Amino acid sequence: MFMSMKEEKHNKPILFALAAVAIALGITNILLAYNITTEMNQSDRLGVNNIRAELDYLKNRYDAIDKKVEKIDSKMMELKEINEVLNDVRYKLVNINSKDENNNNNSSSNNNALNHILDYSLEQRLKEGLEGKEVEDRGDFKIMYIDDKHKILSRSKVLDAYVDALNSKFILPHDIEVVVDEDDRCKNASGYYEQMRKRIVLCYSSINSFMRLYPDDVGNFSMLVKFLLYHEVAHALIDVYKLPIVGMQEYAADNFAIVMMLNDGDDIHPLIWLYDAMREDKYATSTTTTSSRYWDTHMLFVQRYYDILCLAYGSDPLRYDSNDLPSERAYRCSHEYSSALNAWNELLKPWMKAS
Ligand SMILES: [Zn+2]
């Protein structure tokens, strides 16, 4: 012991005070340390949350870019295939051109025209594919009845229903009028398409003759009206879409109308009967033989009759019989129908609305 008892007694309060101060300092330090750590934890937590949000954002961006890359990849594959077809066609045309160069200028210019048509269609599709653009729908088929004296057609709404169906199917770059009228051209035609005015004219005289054929049968009457409309619609679509058609356009227009009607599930028997009644070979010995116009752009009725019959039989051999078709033709009909349907679907694909 280095202090006496007395001194010890005297120093106790001081020692207590010192101990109290030390304890107070210790507590303050602990509190300060606690404060610092809690403050650090809060700022850390904020930082972590920010990083997490940033990571989420980056992950979403990555997913979106990944999807786009996938889309671009499949588009590139498609474009590569189109390009290969285009190159193949170009190669063939260059070959034909070089062979014909020394022969005559006409054939060369025909090939140039064909080259131009093919380039237009394929390049347009290629461009649209690259831009990823949908073709814009800027128009409709619009019906107009001029001098509808009997109002039978306008009231029956037969044409309206067919036109509505066409509008829900096709994308048009502008309106195309479907005018029901009677003018000079109706003396030699049941309807026509005017390229300059971009309008279809259906002749009252023809529609009246259909009505006289089926005065009490709206179903059969409607099939003849639909064929007349679809034949002219084909001319209009070939013009506005600039569809490349090889061969006579009149043949293509008939083919379009029949194939589309069969694909719609229509019963085209009235059409078969009509062409059967008009076929030239039935009148071969009569005075009407001069009506056979071999130079005309339209095929003869007898040829149109067999073509319609073949497509119908080819589409559904149970619904349409082949009694009038020689077996040499009948066995090809199923292929004729499916390849025609496939060709129209391919040609019209860029302008078909999504169903
Ligand atoms: Zn025509």
Side-chain angles (χ1 to χ4, degrees):
M1 295 265 160
F2 64 91
M3 273 192 273
S4 68
M5 288 296 282
K6 208 181 167 183
E7 272 171 344
E8 252 185 286
K9 249 186 180 175
H10 186 72
N11 286 336
K12 252 181 190 168
I14 297 164
L15 282 171
F16 277 128
L18 280 170
V21 167
I23 290 164
L25 277 171
I27 290 168
T28 316
N29 275 342
I30 288 164
L31 284 173
L32 269 170
Y34 175 75
N35 263 349
I36 287 163
T37 48
T38 44
E39 264 172 36
M40 270 176 74
N41 281 344
Q42 269 169 358
S43 72
D44 281 354
R45 231 174 277 143
L46 254 166
V48 167
N49 283 345
N50 283 342
I51 290 165
R52 224 175 252 162
E54 234 167 274
L55 275 173
D56 280 346
Y57 170 75
L58 286 172
K59 196 180 168 297
N60 287 339
R61 288 275 300 157
Y62 174 81
D63 285 347
I65 289 166
D66 201 36
K67 270 182 196 157
K68 274 186 186 167
V69 167
E70 230 172 73
K71 250 188 180 176
I72 290 166
D73 273 354
S74 76
K75 270 272 186 276
M76 285 306 288
M77 285 294 288
E78 244 175 71
L79 291 175
K80 224 179 131 195
E81 278 167 24
I82 293 172
N83 211 14
E84 273 168 18
V85 175
L86 189 64
N87 280 337
D88 194 39
V89 171
R90 277 214 179 106
Y91 175 76
K92 281 175 189 161
L93 284 168
V94 166
N95 267 354
I96 294 166
N97 265 340
S98 63
K99 272 182 200 164
D100 287 352
E101 222 166 347
N102 298 324
N103 291 343
N104 65 58
N105 289 336
N106 275 346
S107 127
S108 170
S109 72
N110 280 344
N111 286 331
N112 282 339
L114 183 64
N115 200 356
H116 172 76
I117 290 163
L118 285 166
D119 275 0
Y120 178 86
S121 177
L122 285 171
E123 270 179 6
Q124 171 134 327
R125 272 186 259 174
L126 199 69
K127 210 172 135 216
E128 279 154 9
L130 275 172
E131 287 170 356
K133 254 190 200 167
E134 295 288 313
V135 187
E136 231 182 294
D137 187 25
R138 295 205 196 108
D140 278 322
F141 289 102
K142 300 238 161 104
I143 309 179
M144 279 177 68
Y145 296 95
I146 313 283
D147 294 333
D148 186 13
K149 289 187 193 101
H150 306 295
K151 306 242 180 253
I152 297 171
L153 193 64
S154 55
R155 274 198 206 130
S156 70
K157 301 272 176 199
V158 167
L159 267 177
D160 300 66
Y162 296 145
V163 164
D164 286 348
L166 287 168
N167 286 334
S168 64
K169 204 181 269 185
F170 294 110
I171 291 164
L172 287 179
H174 50 73
D175 285 343
I176 297 173
E177 285 180 353
V178 178
V179 184
V180 189
D181 197 4
E182 190 68 21
D183 59 18
D184 273 354
R185 286 182 71 173
C186 289
K187 285 174 189 159
N188 300 312
S190 44
Y192 58 91
Y193 170 67
E194 257 184 303
Q195 194 180 8
M196 292 297 282
R197 295 172 70 180
K198 307 283 178 212
R199 63 174 205 153
I200 289 168
V201 175
L202 305 179
C203 301
Y204 274 120
S205 49
S206 294
I207 292 166
N208 282 336
S209 69
F210 299 156
M211 219 172 264
R212 280 198 298 276
L213 270 176
Y214 297 110
D216 304 314
D217 195 329
V218 183
N220 285 356
F221 163 73
S222 304
M223 285 298 97
L224 299 182
V225 172
K226 187 174 179 182
F227 177 74
L228 175 62
L229 170 71
Y230 271 42
H231 176 97
E232 300 310 331
V233 163
H235 285 303
L237 296 183
I238 289 167
D239 175 40
V240 299
Y241 296 156
K242 300 200 169 14
L243 298 181
I245 299 292
V246 179
M248 300 296 257
Q249 200 182 106
E250 289 303 336
Y251 176 84
D254 267 0
N255 189 277
F256 169 88
I258 298 156
V259 169
M260 290 299 139
M261 287 173 79
L262 289 169
N263 192 43
D264 284 350
D266 292 334
D267 182 353
I268 68 158
H269 276 108
L271 202 60
I272 296 171
W273 299 326
L274 180 71
Y275 276 83
D276 187 24
M278 291 193 296
R279 53 198 259 205
E280 290 86 352
D281 59 342
K282 283 203 164 177
Y283 310 104
T285 53
S286 76
T287 51
T288 54
T289 45
T290 47
S291 66
S292 297
R293 302 197 300 180
Y294 298 117
W295 46 264
D296 195 49
T297 53
H298 295 81
M299 310 240 301
L300 297 174
F301 283 120
V302 62
Q303 289 173 295
R304 293 168 89 175
Y305 166 67
Y306 284 116
D307 285 342
I308 293 170
L309 203 59
C310 182
L311 288 170
Y313 174 68
S315 76
D316 189 346
L318 296 175
R319 193 177 203 179
Y320 302 95
D321 65 57
S322 64
N323 297 343
D324 219 2
L325 267 179
S327 57
E328 293 96 317
R329 178 76 185 266
Y331 90 95
R332 306 170 58 93
C333 293
S334 167
H335 174 72
E336 271 188 44
Y337 172 71
S338 58
S339 81
L341 181 64
N342 183 48
W344 285 115
N345 281 340
E346 275 300 308
L347 281 174
L348 296 169
K349 204 163 36 180
W351 293 279
M352 297 289 273
K353 288 180 183 173
S355 51

